[in-house]
Amino acid sequence: MPELPEVETIARGVNERVRGDRIVEVWFSRHREPFKTPATRQARGLEGRAILAVHRTGKHIVCELGGSADGSLLDESAGKSAAQWIVHLGMTGRLLVTTPDAPVAAHTHARLSLMSGRELRFVDPRRFGRLEYRDLSRGASFRAAGADPLEVTAAEFARLFHGRKLAIKAALLNQKLLSGVGNIYADESLFRAGIRPRRQSGRLARTELETLRLALGEVLKHAIRLGGSSVSDYVDADGARGFFQLEHCVYLRMGLPCRICQTLIRRIVVAGRGTHYCPRCQR
DNA sequence: ATATGGCCCTGGTTGC
DNA sequence: TGCAACCAGGGCCATA
């Protein structure tokens, strides 16, 4: 499942390939609307626009769009985008840059033909992904609801979890608190911080929270360096797999010995999510 | 306000 | 071997 490191990897890859390009034609599958913005409105908004940049916020990929169908491009409002195309990959979403003649994968829901001849494709078998178009002349620029785990300060981080009764694992998954952490990195960061996933957020000591914040930052940065975790079918913009799954300490390792103490990793369910931890290393 | 649980979806795995 | 039931899970919504 794409989380912050996977989304960051994809956004960087897509940015390198389509930055400065222009959307010529847009096709959406006729399947049930899996979108936040109706397909017809998205197509109308996207066609003719220049892609200024592509970046990540939370688990969202944001394409900053400038210029309009009738001509004026990067000139008059350099840096200022007139619209945004926001992609959330959900569980199984992929955003790929391909040649137009590349075979169209099953469950392809969007194809953006670019002036360079390439295509930007959105593929999503399970359809948990979401596509949104924003006209910035009428609405505010998109921003993730919670704090970015790579930017959040110690004080801010502590405040997010203060006074909350829910399990720390559930809190880490709440995108309104932190945006970008999913099941893999919640488990991995709790392991590295030595904290049991069922501990109440509000009962964690200040020092534990700071350990967790640092562990989370390290895990996420390390995962980004390795191109993310390919556990199910995640691939980057080129279709290449990541390597961080090889470094997982607990995620999907139930029954296997802990890399630190050899105790067998356990699997429980917290907040409806499979949760993995070492009963000895985590307290 | 905060927290919980059901729901959406399909592909892979499990069970008979 | 073959088919059906089951499960995974991010975010959204209704409910307590």
Side-chain angles (χ1 to χ4, degrees), chain A residues 134-152:
Chain A
R134 281 200 183 206
D135 188 331
L136 294 183
S137 64
R138 291 192 300 195
S141 178
F142 178 83
R143 56 178 303 172
D148 190 300
L150 295 176
E151 311 279 330
V152 67

Side-chain angles (χ1 to χ4, degrees), chain A residues 1 11 36-37 48 61 72-73 99 189 206-207 220 264 266 279:
Chain A
M1 58 239 58
K36 278 201 162 179
T37 313
I61 298 166
S72 50
L73 280 185
T99 55
S189 60
R206 197 64 177 252
T207 53
L220 293 172
L264 301 188
R266 286 192 192 155

Side-chain angles (χ1 to χ4, degrees), chain A residues 124-283:
Chain A
D124 185 19
R126 217 169 286 186
R127 287 192 268 166
F128 282 8
R130 290 290 179 270
L131 302 177
E132 179 182 355
Y133 173 80
R134 281 200 183 206
D135 188 331
L136 294 183
S137 64
R138 291 192 300 195
S141 178
F142 178 83
R143 56 178 303 172
D148 190 300
L150 295 176
E151 311 279 330
V152 67
T153 64
E156 225 181 323
F157 193 82
R159 190 169 47 75
L160 290 177
F161 302 105
H162 179 76
R164 295 186 181 274
K165 291 197 169 178
L166 80 175
I168 185 63
K169 160 85 184 245
L172 285 171
L173 293 177
N174 186 339
Q175 302 300 299
K176 287 181 179 159
L177 300 178
L178 285 175
S179 293
V181 182
N183 213 28
I184 298 171
Y185 300 100
D187 282 5
E188 291 298 319
S189 60
L190 284 169
F191 171 80
R192 277 158 229 249
I195 297 169
R196 291 236 184 158
R198 281 214 175 108
R199 294 272 305 279
Q200 256 187 39
S201 333
R203 293 215 172 163
L204 292 173
R206 197 64 177 252
T207 53
E208 289 179 305
L209 285 171
E210 183 56 4
T211 304
L212 178 58
R213 183 180 75 92
L214 295 172
L216 180 58
E218 283 164 16
V219 168
L220 293 172
K221 282 183 219 157
H222 189 187
I224 291 171
R225 280 196 295 273
L226 295 185
S229 303
S230 290
V231 287
S232 50
D233 49 5
Y234 158 75
V235 289
D236 70 14
D238 288 326
R241 289 166 59 85
F243 293 95
F244 191 68
Q245 68 279 6
L246 302 174
E247 312 234 345
H248 289 175
C249 291
V250 288
Y251 187 74
L252 290 187
R253 297 195 72 245
M254 54 280 191
L256 295 173
C258 171
R259 294 191 197 281
I260 305 295
C261 74
Q262 318 309 318
T263 305
L264 301 188
I265 300 301
R266 286 192 192 155
R267 181 186 189 276
I268 57 176
V269 175
V270 179
R273 299 291 178 258
T275 298
H276 316 77
Y277 74 101
C278 171
R280 182 155 173 203
C281 292
Q282 293 172 259
R283 299 289 174 180

